[in-house]
Amino acid sequence: TIYGLGFSSGPTGWSPTSALPTTLGGAKVQIGGKDAFISYASFGQLNVLVPPDLAPGSSILTVTTPAGNATATANILPANPQWFTYSVGNATWIAGLIANTSTLVAPTGIFGAGCCRAAKAEDYVELFANGLGPTSPAAPAGVVLTAAYPLPDLSQVKVAIGGIDSSVVYAGLVGAGLYQLNVLVPSGIGSGDLPVVMTISGQTAKAATLNFQ
């Protein structure tokens, strides 16, 4: 997410059917001389998907609009994992589903009947994240994905729930900028909102919570 002023005259989101847009709401973004894919543009904010083949290190980020250009410096890492989260009241939870269902992992009834339940030991859960790094095979750039692309070495993916290591059975890219981790909830965990810590190739995401029973 890029914050500033004068990016676009009004809020615009993408709705791609095949190709991802490199111009949205009159704004264009390049990082390291490569076009980024813009998912949202407003007067003060741009949400962009970083090109997949940038070299690690410092890169110049340029925003171009009909009113002119603005530049900044972006630091590129091979992986920088972070959870996708959402908030309800004072609580913030990782975006996650009970595996192979549309049931949200959250306190029962928080969004109405049948929408969600807390996870429990021996459940498989699908957790969603950003910045897990390259896949093998490499996902095609700039298109709507029609298949999943796994990370090359699952042994480099660690998830701990309430301080207990869990089994990660899948980690990979399932949509534009969207990674999924399939995790077996370990035995011996507590209940309530517990911290879930993810580490990818030595890079640790900021801990976030998930609801358990």
Side-chain angles (χ1 to χ4, degrees):
T1 298
I2 303 166
Y3 295 105
L5 295 173
F7 293 144
S8 178
S9 59
T12 305
W14 71 8
S15 54
T17 57
S18 56
L20 308 182
T22 56
T23 300
L24 193 67
K28 183 180 181 69
V29 177
Q30 287 193 321
I31 305 175
K34 299 178 183 291
D35 289 338
F37 308 101
I38 308 177
S39 67
Y40 175 81
S42 69
F43 183 80
Q45 179 177 330
L46 297 170
N47 293 350
V48 306
L49 181 64
V50 177
D53 53 353
L54 293 178
S58 181
S59 286
I60 299 299
L61 183 152
T62 303
V63 177
T64 302
T65 74
N69 299 339
T71 61
T73 301
N75 186 36
I76 306 300
L77 295 173
N80 186 18
Q82 300 296 336
W83 295 115
F84 281 118
T85 62
Y86 64 98
S87 298
V88 179
N90 294 324
T92 298
W93 296 300
I94 297 168
L97 300 171
I98 303 298
N100 300 316
T101 76
S102 59
T103 302
L104 192 67
V105 180
T108 300
I110 192 75
F111 295 118
C115 72
C116 42
R117 71 165 173 84
K120 59 183 184 296
E122 305 305 323
D123 275 343
Y124 283 98
V125 293
E126 300 169 359
L127 308 180
F128 298 97
N130 184 28
L132 273 59
T135 62
S136 180
V143 300
V144 174
L145 300 183
T146 58
Y149 292 84
L151 298 189
D153 185 359
L154 198 58
S155 70
Q156 296 299 307
V157 184
K158 310 294 183 185
V159 174
I161 298 174
I164 301 175
D165 289 339
S166 59
S167 176
V168 180
V169 297
Y170 174 81
L173 194 65
V174 295
L178 179 66
Y179 291 83
Q180 177 178 319
L181 297 94
N182 295 353
V183 176
L184 176 63
V185 178
S187 300
I189 63 168
S191 61
D193 290 345
L194 301 178
V196 182
V197 179
M198 166 179 53
T199 301
I200 306 292
S201 300
Q203 295 286 331
T204 300
K206 180 180 178 180
T209 60
L210 204 63
N211 192 253
F212 296 90
Q213 64 183 21

